[in-house]
Amino acid sequence: MARKSLVGVVADELLDRIVAGEFPPGTVVPGELELSAKHEVSRMTVREAMKTLEAQRILSVERGRGTFVNPLNRWASLEAVLRAASEGKNDAAASVQLIELRRMLETGACELAASRISPEEIDQLQVHVSAMQKAHDSNDVGAFVEADLGFHDVILHASGNVFVAVLFEPLHRVLEARRTQTSQIPDIQRHAIGHHRAILKALEAGDSPRAREAMDAHMQQTLDDLRTYVLEA
């Protein structure tokens, strides 16, 4: 793997500071002189690093005023947004928006999968549901999360739409972190198992509308559980 350029390293370090909340949206980032001393690089390197973040719409330059941090909804880099979602301070909003995104994509994928899924993929889903139940019974959160993610991954690929799985791939790390957080709660695990079984039955029947409704109900339950057990706890 090629090493990142010094400009890339400084851009990443500055993004880390932004994600950590050191420079909240709307605030001015330090000038080139201060940043060059902080990161022990030349002012030219800092200037190019800031141009990188400006191109990703993470920063915006206002002549005569300074360089400002943009709100997250203006960022144009998926990688940066995902980093903010997994490591940032606005955890509640990011969690809710991630479920909203999943709801939009996964309900449609499940509907498509109902008419395209193979017997082998149905078998895989059954294995994952059994593994979720076993992990729940033994209080193995890691195994539960792995089986949960595996179940959804089978459906995404069974949709037969190559773009769906590709769109979800960058989300995997964030989803794993979120699932590990919520799956520590036994009631959330129990709810998830019930919904996964309903989804599996709809897919086994090849019933597209029912499959879509089952996945939508799962996403709603996931959102309700997040609000009840995590955000309001």
Side-chain angles (χ1 to χ4, degrees), residues 27-30 50 59-62 65-69:
T27 60
V28 181
V29 297
M50 292 178 74
L59 299 177
S60 60
V61 177
E62 296 187 19
R65 296 191 62 217
T67 300
F68 291 79
V69 178

Side-chain angles (χ1 to χ4, degrees), residues 137-211:
D137 294 340
S138 61
N139 194 30
D140 188 338
V141 174
F144 186 91
V145 171
E146 183 179 357
D148 187 357
L149 290 172
F151 181 94
H152 287 270
D153 191 55
V154 170
I155 294 174
L156 293 174
H157 286 89
S159 73
N161 188 307
V162 296
F163 296 103
V164 172
V166 171
L167 284 171
F168 258 84
E169 182 57 34
L171 297 175
H172 185 86
R173 181 169 59 90
V174 180
L175 286 173
E176 186 173 13
R178 300 289 172 180
R179 294 286 222 293
T180 300
Q181 177 189 34
T182 58
S183 294
Q184 295 179 30
I185 301 166
D187 280 349
I188 291 182
Q189 290 186 12
R190 184 169 50 80
H191 295 160
I193 291 170
H195 281 282
H196 282 70
R197 284 179 173 151
I199 293 166
L200 175 56
K201 286 181 180 179
L203 292 172
E204 284 179 312
D207 189 332
S208 295
R210 183 176 154 201

